[in-house]
Amino acid sequence: MKNTEIRSLSASEIAERVVAEQGNLSKLKFAHSISPIENPNRIREAKRLVARLKTALASK
């Protein structure tokens, strides 16, 4: 998700996405701890997306 897409969302939509993406991140971490996932960079991307969403939410 790009920053322009994030900025176009309302504050409530961003808050919903933060919760959803944090759940996704925890699932990725759990799956990676059990058996290494195919692309571990997805964990980094998920963390950065959560950070982008939180930053956009704070600015609104």
Side-chain angles (χ1 to χ4, degrees):
M1 178 173 261
K2 296 192 178 203
N3 284 334
T4 54
E5 296 170 356
I6 293 172
R7 280 191 229 116
S8 66
L9 298 174
S10 69
S12 61
E13 291 173 329
I14 293 174
E16 291 174 11
R17 288 297 302 253
V18 167
V19 172
E21 291 299 328
Q22 283 178 332
N24 184 28
L25 176 60
S26 65
K27 286 179 187 176
L28 279 173
K29 285 183 177 179
F30 186 68
H32 186 64
S33 66
I34 292 173
S35 65
I37 58 176
E38 196 172 299
N39 187 0
N41 287 334
R42 290 177 55 206
I43 295 173
R44 181 188 300 173
E45 292 167 3
K47 287 198 299 195
R48 288 181 178 180
L49 177 57
V50 169
R52 276 192 211 105
L53 289 167
K54 285 184 175 181
T55 301
L57 186 61
S59 69
K60 289 194 181 216

